[in-house]
């Protein structure tokens, strides 16, 4: 019996497998799609052409995509410059407009008309006008045997020339970035709009539903979106904020599909992924997860527990620390997922196998052998060498980042350095600027919370960083405080002049020379300078020497992989905050033995998770009412309201707010996260479990229309059936 069904079964398996030979790994450059990807994309179901995605002669999809503030992506969804991005991308802006009385984070915000749209100084939206390959001219003066420094300055010289002579309009900007570890260079002509106003945001109980518990997790039920609008000068060009500015008339606005997606449907995500490291050698992957992620997780674990304790008890602290908490928790959790994912998929073992295969092919080819022999081994060797320094760096930077008294000291030191460099005559002006810049810092600062964080983190730092790296002066202070975080923190917070805005003001109201003299005596600043000195003397010099050898070898190894492994793997450049296209299919996955995850979630799931009054899982009354009445308008399907879905699009941090487009280039979802098992996709993409998470666009529309009643926004959009 068994024998007889084996054959047809085998055939079936083969068909299924060949049906799946598309590759979803990769963040591709939009201008190269027609040569590298178009055929495959069409094979996977795409109905438009590469030239509809990137075109410099007419409006194309890329003209609807902006880098949002440099940290997220957003897209234009109406011909009046309406922008869609994530709630967590707009979070800072929403928070800044919030007060206890008028809490937009908690209650949401909807501008009922254009005059109510709120300006956000400093927030920008950058379009990509054109991308050019400038590799040849950039590398023109590079010669073998140059040091990293010499090489870089030869390149910089050329890049300066290129930037000066590039064809562009006066209001446009230009930037050049290295790709493939510096083997290639591309130039971007960009347009940056500086008047970006807040238009709408759901309450956090929708936009951040599930909060940090659900962050990086599937199944997900978050309506993670917010809306902004780009304003331009009357001539349509970028202009600083002004009441006279007008909504931007974009070159292209994304049509919105009302159809939703099915299993295996083609999807693509356009956006600005920040940083990936897909071509690390095995030692680099090992170090990332086993040493560096572990150190950072340990520090943040402690800081977060303390913040959380206070935030649950105190409404004021909850507002002050909400954004900080979310920011710190985000990568804390991501790194944990990354550690686990690499282990689960045997990421290090697979890299080692890949390296063995690479070496074998290399050995068999005399030309490659001559060019690249030894590169990989040396690179792995340097990674072993850099490890203790990199670990000390990460402990140090996490300490200064998470103990805000140290952050404040750091900023005071920089301010005084600035005065020192520009001359005492500048003291008055710079003092005013410094005080202004510290205002928002102290607005969200609570010395009690910070004191407790300091205790824990100093203890961890002392355990984690070997004496010879931390330095003598720090060591002396540590010994004077009985090598005890609490003793040290008690003393710091009792007598430092940096624990409140008032203290800081009276401290720096004194004459320049007194401030400088007292700065040395302030215990917090004194400690920070001691630690900084230890770091600079014992860590940063060796670190940057080894790092420069690594950069050099990593570049050679990149080229070597592209030559030697050409038939085995398709190479795409690591993410570097430039515009990319990634594509995949709507699909579930099996995270663990016997568990399957479906690819869609519904409003029913929101109600399953609902915990009345909870700070993560509360549901607004109005939404419950709509759910009970099944009042989904034209946005529901078969009596259900879709919320989120997943697909195999290769994304990373920075892709948040990116549009998910269907085969026709119509907006079907809004990217905002990845699944827990797959957060290691930044160093070890694995198609079996790496999935991106998107909000269904119909849920976004449903919230805007039925929940918030902000129909004026729906009327601007182009909905297609
Ligand atoms: N993990 C997502 C990303 O990296 C969302 C983060 C915001 N959400 C949160 N609960 N902290 O940006
Ligand atoms: N949530 C991330 C972002 O903000 C996206 C990701 O890492 O998948 O960009």
């Amino acid at each position: 019996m068994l024998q007889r069904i084996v054959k047809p079964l085998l055939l079936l398996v083969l068909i299924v497998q060949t049906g799946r030979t598309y590759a979803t790994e990769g963040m591709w450059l939009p201008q190269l799609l027609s040569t590298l990807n178009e055929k495959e994309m069409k094979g996977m179901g795409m109905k438009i052409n590469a030239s509809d995605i990137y075109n410099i002669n007419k409006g194309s999809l890329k003209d609807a995509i902006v880098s949002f503030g440099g940290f997220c992506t957003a897209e234009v969804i109406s011909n009046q410059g309406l922008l869609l991005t994530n709630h967590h991308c707009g979070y800072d802006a929403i928070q800044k407009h919030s007060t206890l009385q008028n809490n937009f984070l908690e209650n949401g915000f909807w501008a009922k008309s254009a005059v109510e749209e709120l300006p956000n100084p400093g927030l920008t939206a950058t379009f990509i006008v054109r991308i050019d390959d400038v590799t040849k001219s950039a590398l023109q003066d590079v010669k073998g045997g140059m040091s990293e420094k010499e090489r870089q300055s030869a390149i910089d010289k050329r890049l300066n020339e290129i930037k000066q002579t590039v064809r562009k309009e006066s209001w446009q900007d230009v930037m050049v970035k290295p790709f493939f570890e510096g083997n290639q260079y591309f130039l971007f002509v960009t347009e940056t709009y500086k008047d970006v106003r807040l238009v709408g945001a759901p309450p956090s109980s929708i936009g951040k539903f599930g909060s940090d518990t659900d962050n990086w997790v599937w199944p997900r039920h978050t309506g993670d979106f917010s809306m902004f609008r780009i304003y331009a000068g009357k001539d349509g060009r970028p202009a600083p904020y002004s009441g006279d500015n007008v909504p931007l008339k974009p070159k292209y606005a994304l049509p919105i599909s009302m159809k939703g997606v099915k299993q295996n449907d083609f999807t693509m995500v356009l956006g600005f992924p920040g940083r990936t490291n897909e071509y690390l050698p095995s030692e680099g992957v090992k170090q990332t997860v086993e040493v560096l992620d572990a150190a950072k997780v340990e520090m943040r674990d402690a800081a977060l527990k303390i913040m959380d304790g206070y935030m649950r008890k105190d409404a004021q602290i909850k507002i002050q620390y909400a954004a900080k908490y979310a920011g710190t928790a985000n990568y804390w959790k991501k790194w944990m997922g990354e550690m686990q994912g690499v282990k689960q998929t045997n990421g290090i073992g697979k890299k080692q196998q890949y390296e063995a295969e690479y070496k074998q092919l290399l050995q068999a080819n005399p030309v490659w052998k001559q060019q690249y022999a030894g590169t990989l081994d040396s690179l792995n060797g340097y990674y072993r060498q850099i490890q203790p320094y990199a670990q000390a760096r990460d402990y140090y930077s996490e300490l200064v980042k998470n103990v805000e008294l140290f952050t404040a000291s750091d900023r005071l030191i920089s301010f005084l350095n600035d005065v020192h460099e520009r001359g005492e005559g500048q003291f008055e002006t710079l003092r005013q600027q410094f005080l202004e810049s510290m205002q928002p810092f102290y607005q969200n600062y609570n010395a009690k919370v910070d004191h407790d964080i300091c205790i824990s983190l100093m203890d961890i730092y002392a355990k984690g960083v070997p004496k010879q790296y931390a330095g003598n002066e720090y060591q002396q202070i540590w010994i004077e405080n009985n090598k005890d975080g609490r003793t040290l923190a008690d003393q710091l917070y009792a007598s430092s002049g940096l624990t409140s805005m008032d203290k800081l003001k009276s401290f720096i109201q004194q004459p320049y020379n007194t401030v400088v003299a007292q700065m040395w005596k302030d215990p917090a600043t004194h400690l920070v300078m001691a630690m900084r000195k230890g770091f600079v003397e014992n860590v940063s010099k060796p670190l940057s020497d080894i790092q420069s050898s690594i950069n050099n070898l990593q570049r050679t190894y990149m080229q070597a992989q592209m030559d030697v492994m050409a038939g085995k793997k398709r190479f795409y450049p690591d993410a570097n905050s430039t515009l990319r296209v990634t594509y995949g299919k709507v699909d579930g996955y099996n995270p663990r033995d016997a568990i399957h995850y479906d690819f869609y979630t519904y409003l029913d799931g929101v109600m399953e998770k609902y915990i009345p009054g909870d700070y993560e899982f509360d549901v607004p009354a109005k939404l419950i009412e709509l759910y009970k009445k099944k009042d989904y308008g034209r946005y529901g399907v078969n009596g259900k309201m879709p919320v989120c879905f997943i697909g195999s699009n290769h994304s990373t941090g920075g892709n948040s707010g990116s549009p998910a487009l269907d085969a026709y280039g119509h907006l079907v979802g809004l990217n905002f996260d990845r699944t827990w098992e797959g957060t290691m996709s930044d160093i070890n993409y694995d198609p079996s479990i790496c999935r991106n998470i998107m909000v269904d666009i119909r849920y976004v529309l449903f919230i805007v229309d039925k929940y918030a009643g902000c129909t004026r926004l729906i009327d601007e959009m182009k909905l297609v059936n």
Side-chain angles (χ1 to χ4, degrees), residues 71-73 86 88-89 215-216 220 224 272-274 330-331 334 651-657 671-675 679 681-682 691-693:
F71 52 86
C72 272
T73 303
N86 290 143
H88 77 264
C89 297
N215 191 19
W216 301 110
R220 191 66 154 277
D224 195 343
F272 292 83
N330 194 30
Y331 267 67
K334 192 252 178 187
S651 57
T652 188
N655 267 128
S656 272
N671 184 74
F672 70 103
D673 209 2
R674 279 170 284 165
T675 58
T679 62
S681 63
D682 294 343
R691 295 288 178 274
N692 69 315
I693 308 181

Side-chain angles (χ1 to χ4, degrees), residues 615-682:
Y615 106 96
E616 298 189 304
F617 292 102
D618 201 8
V619 179
K622 175 90 186 276
L623 188 57
I624 299 176
E625 195 188 306
L626 291 167
Y627 172 73
K628 282 194 180 145
K629 290 200 217 130
K630 306 259 168 286
D631 185 4
Y632 304 143
R634 50 183 159 159
Y635 312 109
V637 249
N638 304 328
K640 282 162 83 85
M641 186 65 237
V643 175
C644 294
F645 63 98
I646 50 175
S648 51
N649 303 289
H650 186 184
S651 57
T652 188
N655 267 128
S656 272
S658 298
L661 306 169
D662 68 7
Y664 299 92
H666 297 162
L667 187 65
V668 285
L670 175 62
N671 184 74
F672 70 103
D673 209 2
R674 279 170 284 165
T675 58
W676 173 251
E677 294 78 9
T679 62
M680 45 78 180
S681 63
D682 294 343

Side-chain angles (χ1 to χ4, degrees), residues 109 111 113-119 197-199 229 231 712-713:
F109 166 78
S113 67
V115 283
E116 288 180 20
E117 298 181 355
L118 301 171
R197 302 187 197 167
L198 177 62
V199 171
R229 190 186 305 282
Y231 281 78
R712 73 173 183 111
L713 299 177

Side-chain angles (χ1 to χ4, degrees), residues 79-216:
N79 55 14
Q80 295 163 54
L82 188 61
L83 273 186
L84 177 65
T85 188
N86 290 143
H87 185 263
H88 77 264
C89 297
Y91 202 79
D92 266 344
I94 306 167
Q95 191 209 20
K96 282 194 186 121
H97 293 294
S98 293
T99 59
L100 268 182
Q101 291 73 35
N102 242 335
N103 193 337
F104 299 146
L105 280 181
E106 185 141 336
N107 306 319
F109 166 78
W110 301 98
K112 293 280 174 296
S113 67
V115 283
E116 288 180 20
E117 298 181 355
L118 301 171
N120 303 285
L123 187 60
T124 55
T126 300
F127 289 93
I128 303 299
V129 178
R130 189 177 88 233
I131 310 172
D132 294 338
D133 186 347
V134 293
T135 308
K136 239 174 117 192
S137 5
L139 299 181
Q140 198 167 329
D141 303 330
V142 170
K143 299 196 179 60
M146 279 180 158
S147 72
E148 274 303 279
K149 252 214 185 105
E150 288 163 348
R151 182 180 189 275
Q152 198 52 53
S153 67
I155 293 172
D156 289 343
K157 206 174 131 243
R158 284 291 168 191
L159 293 186
N160 272 335
E161 277 170 27
I162 297 170
K163 283 188 207 164
Q164 240 125 66
T165 51
V166 70
R167 177 173 50 83
K168 68 166 191 67
E169 306 294 345
S170 59
W171 63 89
Q172 297 175 333
D173 301 300
V174 53
M175 102 191 150
V176 181
K177 289 220 175 179
F179 289 73
F180 291 114
E181 315 287 346
N183 286 295
Q184 295 179 21
Y185 282 80
F186 289 95
L187 173 146
F188 299 78
V189 175
T190 62
E191 261 170 24
T192 297
Y193 287 84
K194 298 169 190 78
D195 184 356
V196 179
R197 302 187 197 167
L198 177 62
V199 171
S204 292
S205 50
I206 292 173
K208 207 187 164 186
F209 181 75
S211 193
D212 295 298
T213 299
D214 269 11
N215 191 19
W216 301 110

